[in-house]
Amino acid sequence: MSIREILLDSLKCQKGRWVSGEDLSSRLSVSRAAIWKHIRRLREEGYEILSSPKKGYLLEKIPDRPFPREILEGLNTRRFGKEKIRYFEVTDSTNQVAKDLAAAGAPEGTLVVAEAQGKGRGRLGRKWYSPVGEGIYASLILRPRIPLSEAPLITFLAAVAVAEAVMEISSLDVKIKWPNDLLVGGRKLAGILTEIATEMDAVEYLVLGLGLNVNTRSFPASLKTRATSLLRETGAEFSRTSLIQGFLRWCEKYYWIFQESGFDPILRRWKQLSLLLGKRVRVETVGGILAGTATDVDPSGCLILVDDRGEEHHIFSGDILSEEPSTKLRSRNLAEKGDNQ
Ligand code: BTN
């Protein structure tokens, strides 16, 4: 631990009580001038620390910034986030950093977080709006021992983990739109970008990139009607650090379930949270636009769409253009499956 970390810990331990500069300097074996220098640096990072010539220092407020030290404090996981956390004030894309780290051998559970991204990437070559300090931009390195064909299911796992983490901290009803958009009230709250490196037909490593709009106040005109944030939905600010901790915990939990029992339990939960099953949808695929009813997802994560001629399509990748309820089919599906929506 660095001097600054020990100093911060000493202030945190005192829980709102004053600590004298003299005490700190003897405990840390550094001069009082050095203590003052570290206090100034902590203040620059956003820690609100009072100082008084007579009483010393008092930590008043910890900033909601996803510093590794704050994520680690109280992080209740075995590996995820515990291996290594790389923090950036700004980077082009946390997914790119995570991919570079993974290619250089970084272990499973390594996390990359940033306050802002210059070139945040979304699915299908889109950009991800990444304003400073408002959202979560994080990428987690995984090394699952699975064939390439199963890799999309890890994205389902991540989507479920994000939904659980958000629902545990708020009263919002989060829905998942195939394959992995998280929506509240029909607007996008979060998205997941999975990038994979392969080794023969198996996964070498996989980067799960999470973009979650937490305290975002406003969106550019092009996103205004489609995107939302926790702040916009509830009127309250949420701790990004707690949400990252929740995401890591739920992700690790479902990752463990998947290793013990396969993907079935995850798919079952995904279907419970799914927005689309039983609805009429239009999907843009590489082969063109398909319209019909989304009836299910198959065990490899493909969306099953039944078109108006009754033909079944298994869609591996695509973009949902619109959705509307199909009451007749919806009630039939619910009666048949019970666990959908
Ligand atoms: C989507 O299009 O829905 C996926 C968006 C994923 C955005 C996140 S933000 C952190 C990580 N780094 C990136 O460049 N993209 C992902």
Side-chain angles (χ1 to χ4, degrees), residues 91-97 112 114 117 119-130 136-140 180-182 188 190-195 207-212:
T91 186
D92 275 352
S93 156
T94 55
N95 260 35
Q96 189 54 52
V97 177
V112 180
Q117 297 185 115
K119 292 183 185 151
R121 306 202 283 243
R123 279 181 69 239
L124 309 168
R126 297 190 181 125
K127 289 186 188 139
W128 186 258
Y129 179 58
S130 313
I136 290 173
Y137 320 112
S139 301
L140 180 67
N180 47 41
D181 286 354
L182 284 107
K188 187 153 165 175
I192 292 153
L193 177 68
T194 309
E195 298 191 70
V207 167
L208 274 181
L210 165 66
L212 171 58

